[in-house]
Amino acid sequence: MDASSKRLLRKEELLDQYSLELHQGEESEEQKEKSLLETFASLYHPQLRFATTIPLQITWFSLCFGSYALVTWINTIYVQIHLDDLYWNLLWFALANAPGNLLSFFLLDKVGRIKTLVGSLTMSAMSLVVFAWYSRPDHTSTAGVVVSSCTFQALETVAWNVMDTATGELFPTTSRSTGIGLCTATGRLGAMAAQFASGLLIDSPVMLLLVSSLSFLIAAVIPMKLQHGEMSQARLNDYVGGADAN
């Protein structure tokens, strides 16, 4: 066999190898897409659909709606109700995160995820009602507004910390990352909707606060429907239904 024939044979071998690798790559991508679709579908398996996935989605949506309707508009709300010492009071509002983080640190394991979540969401809603009461036109109380809004910020921080922890624990290992991503995306939709609602209601701060309070109440009711119970100190499920595959 002469040199030109060897080169031609070598090119054919390389082309065959490249075609094989390309085909394997296509199969690998198809397998990944199939695996992703199967994982996503498993989130709506009958054992997860109404016991975990949909309740968590509703809670995430409501929490993000109520939270972002206020936190991203709090300076405008303060301006609308003619609060004195605007920037100083905004500083107090921002610092209220700290006690909320410390409180969640102590409550998560001692009280439990679900009880802490329901309690913090309910008290957040109540603090917003007090906030609205002290924000009434011609009856504004600076002390009442600052204390109630800072209380809301602390309690909302507790709710967020519990929500992040509980979401990861309630999904089985095989679909945990996808489940967290789905709930986060649902929450982002709530945050987007909140911006439109806040823009429409910002001229009536009391109404905006009451709408946000209602959103937190909805978020407080839904976790009671979670059928997995308290996950504190509990073994996490690896598969849908909690049974390990052999």
Side-chain angles (χ1 to χ4, degrees):
M1 182 180 294
D2 56 18
S4 60
S5 299
K6 289 181 178 180
R7 286 196 298 270
L8 182 60
L9 181 60
R10 179 56 179 166
K11 287 180 180 179
E12 291 177 351
E13 290 176 351
L14 290 174
L15 285 173
D16 290 340
Q17 183 179 357
Y18 176 76
S19 299
L20 178 61
E21 291 176 353
L22 184 61
H23 180 66
Q24 290 175 343
E26 291 175 351
E27 287 183 346
S28 177
E29 289 298 324
E30 289 177 358
Q31 291 174 352
K32 288 180 181 179
E33 291 178 3
K34 183 178 179 181
S35 176
L36 179 60
L37 290 174
E38 289 176 349
T39 302
F40 186 81
S42 71
L43 296 175
Y44 293 96
H45 185 277
Q47 290 182 322
L48 283 180
R49 186 187 306 143
F50 295 113
T52 300
T53 305
I54 292 178
L56 282 176
Q57 283 185 276
I58 296 173
T59 305
W60 270 86
F61 184 95
S62 301
L63 176 57
C64 285
F65 183 92
S67 176
Y68 282 87
L70 263 73
V71 174
T72 56
W73 289 77
I74 188 64
N75 59 330
T76 308
I77 293 173
Y78 279 178
V79 169
Q80 286 292 112
I81 61 179
H82 308 293
L83 196 67
D84 297 328
D85 300 321
L86 178 64
Y87 295 107
W88 180 252
N89 291 322
L90 285 172
L91 177 62
W92 283 116
F93 182 83
L95 291 174
N97 271 298
N101 283 309
L102 291 174
L103 192 60
S104 61
F105 175 78
F106 289 107
L107 294 178
L108 267 172
D109 289 320
K110 292 193 176 184
V111 177
R113 275 74 159 140
I114 303 302
K115 290 181 180 178
T116 303
L117 180 60
V118 172
S120 60
L121 288 170
T122 302
M123 288 188 287
S124 294
M126 294 172 61
S127 66
L128 288 178
V129 172
V130 177
F131 189 175
W133 176 264
Y134 285 117
S135 301
R136 293 172 300 159
D138 302 324
H139 294 85
T140 303
S141 168
T142 298
V145 167
V146 173
V147 171
S148 58
S149 61
C150 289
T151 301
F152 161 76
Q153 176 73 333
L155 293 169
E156 178 228 12
T157 301
V158 175
W160 272 116
N161 289 341
V162 180
M163 198 68 201
D164 289 337
T165 303
T167 301
E169 293 176 341
L170 290 171
F171 285 111
T173 301
T174 52
S175 57
R176 185 164 297 139
S177 297
T178 307
I180 294 173
L182 176 64
C183 289
T184 303
T186 305
R188 293 303 178 213
L189 293 176
M192 291 169 60
Q195 303 312 305
F196 291 101
S198 296
L200 292 172
L201 297 174
I202 193 59
D203 290 332
S204 179
V206 173
M207 182 60 67
L208 174 58
L209 293 168
L210 292 177
V211 169
S212 297
S213 176
L214 177 61
S215 182
F216 271 89
L217 282 177
I218 294 172
V221 171
I222 299 301
M224 299 178 188
K225 302 297 182 182
L226 292 169
Q227 297 177 14
H228 288 285
E230 181 56 51
M231 297 300 293
S232 178
Q233 307 298 328
R235 181 180 181 274
L236 301 183
N237 295 328
D238 289 328
Y239 299 92
V240 176
D244 290 348
N246 294 323

